[in-house]
Structures are given as C-alpha cells and as structure tokens.
Amino acid sequence: DVKVTQSSRYLVKRTGEKVFLECVQDMDHENMFWYRQDPGLGLRLIYFSYDVKMKEKGDIPEGYSVSREKKERFSLILESASTNQTSMYLCASSKRTGGFISNQPQHFGDGTRLSIL
Amino acid sequence: AQKITQTQPGMFVQEKEAVTLDCTYDTSDPSYGLFWYKQPSSGEMIFLIYQGSYDQQNATEGRYSLNFQKARKSANLVISASQLGDSAMYFCAMREGQDSGYALNFGKGTSLLVTP
C-alpha cells in the first residue's frame, strides 16, 4: 500500500514564525500536492510538483512556498505564519501516467492540523 | 467558478438502507476523471471510486457505485446497504485533462450520518 507520511498530526506556532510541514511518500510517485482544508470550503490546492525541483502554483499559493529536493519528499513552508493560515493541511501523491485519461487516484497523508496563535 | 458542486451539506440514512450523494461538475475538456473520497473524523482521505469521461459503464467498487450521467454532468455516489462505519465526509473531485500530474478540484463535501 502507498504510504504518505506527514511529519506532524498537530502543530502550534506563533504569528510571524517560519513553519515547515514535511511530507514523505514511499511509492516512488512523481506527482506531489499540498492542499489546505477549511470547513465549508473543501480542499484547495496550494502547490504541486510533478518532478524533483519542479513546482507549480495552485489556487491559493500566497503566503506559502514549497521545496522538492528529493523525489520522495515535498515540503510546505509558511514564510511568516499568520492566523489566517490556521487550517488542516493535506499532502498527496500520485503516479505519473500520460497518453490516456489517468485513473490514478491521489493518495493522501493523515493531515496536519496547524494552529497559528 | 465552482467546478464541482455538492449540494447536500449533510445527509442522514438508516443502517442497511441505500443513499445517494449528489455531485455535478463543470468542464469543457472532453477528457476528465471523476473521483470520490471518504474522510472519517480521524482525518485521512480514503479513495473510493473513479469514473473516466470515456468510460461506457458506470463504475462499481463493492458497495459503492457511481451513477454517471455525462449529458447532465453529474456523478452521484451510491452507497448500498449503509453501515455505521460509513459515517464520514464525502468529497467528489475532478481532474481535467489526461495526465495524472494535474491536480484535483474538490467539492465542498457532504457529511453523511448513518443511524442505527
């Protein structure tokens, strides 16, 4: 089974801190994603990456950056945490396919509940 | 504009009954895939079922089936013989285009409560 591991289930940080959320997958997947989930809003894409050192902005990238130095690891960085970044953060990965409609699902980690005080 | 619409914020169903969770989508891309995920209170997202835009048959996976009506742009999830463990949030999602590298667009979810 695919395993996507997020470094923390719960995290509390202070306003202005630089925050790192780490995600590791063990299935050699090319694609990795960071979402945030807020009640009533569903999941919204922050950033994604389809290869090492590659990154693409999602729908809500402001205030975030990412790093993908190794294939298995995708880090989300809050440059200067603010209270409106209090949320549930979900990391996902998927295998690359192409040439036909891909039925590959995204596999998710257990999520990190981040509180910014 | 919202690409995935789930109009039911919350649903109740009695154990052993069937339930349908609604999902409509909006895309002009002829190639797309539709996914349903389950999120229990513990927080993990569990993949349930997939339907491709060119699939001729409705997808089925155990007690889950997808009622795919392409002309109406709907992809409703049907859970047969509900169990207490089915209580969770359910999300419909769409990936446009062919490549798995494209991200999923999620709906806002439907909370399902199964009662004894």
Side-chain angles (χ1 to χ4, degrees):
Chain A
D1 274 356
V2 176
K3 185 71 176 171
V4 179
T5 302
Q6 294 185 230
S7 52
S8 307
R9 286 302 301 270
Y10 301 92
L11 204 55
V12 180
K13 296 290 182 181
R14 296 203 175 276
T15 304
E17 279 192 71
K18 191 168 185 175
V19 181
F20 293 84
L21 302 184
E22 306 286 347
C23 176
V24 177
Q25 50 92 5
D26 66 357
M27 283 302 289
D28 203 36
H29 283 173
E30 292 80 9
N31 308 314
M32 296 189 76
F33 308 84
W34 275 107
Y35 297 88
R36 67 176 277 177
Q37 182 180 12
D38 300 288
L41 296 180
L43 279 74
R44 294 179 291 166
L45 180 67
I46 305 172
Y47 267 97
F48 65 103
S49 168
Y50 52 86
D51 205 346
V52 175
K53 297 195 186 295
M54 305 300 289
K55 61 184 179 184
E56 295 284 342
K57 290 180 180 179
D59 299 318
I60 51 164
E62 297 78 19
Y64 303 95
S65 62
V66 290
S67 171
R68 188 143 182 226
E69 296 296 318
K70 293 185 177 181
K71 190 175 184 180
E72 68 271 18
R73 186 180 296 271
F74 192 34
S75 303
L76 180 70
I77 303 153
L78 284 66
E79 297 291 343
S80 177
S82 64
T83 54
N84 63 12
Q85 292 178 309
T86 291
S87 187
M88 168 77 129
Y89 290 87
L90 289 159
C91 174
S93 72
S94 69
K95 184 174 177 53
R96 177 186 295 158
T97 58
F100 54 91
I101 299 177
S102 171
N103 64 355
Q104 291 292 317
Q106 290 182 11
H107 300 271
F108 285 80
D110 288 343
T112 296
R113 291 190 184 275
L114 175 64
S115 296
I116 307 295
L117 304 179
Chain B
Q2 191 74 17
K3 287 187 178 282
I4 295 287
T5 302
Q6 294 180 254
T7 55
Q8 307 150 313
M11 293 275 289
F12 291 90
V13 66
Q14 209 156 16
E15 207 176 359
K16 299 192 180 87
E17 306 256 312
V19 63
T20 298
L21 307 183
D22 294 341
C23 173
T24 58
Y25 59 92
D26 181 26
T27 182
S28 56
D29 195 321
S31 303
Y32 55 89
L34 296 156
F35 300 79
W36 276 92
Y37 284 84
K38 171 184 177 182
Q39 187 181 41
S41 57
S42 49
E44 74 272 27
M45 294 282 283
I46 302 165
F47 165 66
L48 295 177
I49 195 167
Y50 164 84
Q51 180 87 43
S53 60
Y54 297 116
D55 292 344
Q56 296 296 312
Q57 309 263 9
N58 284 345
T60 60
E61 287 287 348
R63 293 187 299 111
Y64 304 108
S65 60
L66 208 152
N67 183 1
F68 181 46
Q69 298 189 41
K70 196 170 180 178
R72 302 175 78 170
K73 293 189 175 177
S74 76
N76 298 339
L77 177 71
V78 180
I79 305 174
S80 62
S82 299
Q83 302 171 356
L84 296 177
D86 293 334
S87 295
M89 282 291 290
Y90 288 82
F91 291 95
C92 179
M94 176 175 64
R95 179 165 58 214
E96 296 172 285
Q98 294 186 332
D99 196 280
S100 65
Y102 297 130
L104 295 176
N105 283 293
F106 283 84
K108 295 182 180 180
T110 295
S111 177
L112 177 67
L113 184 62
V114 181
T115 59

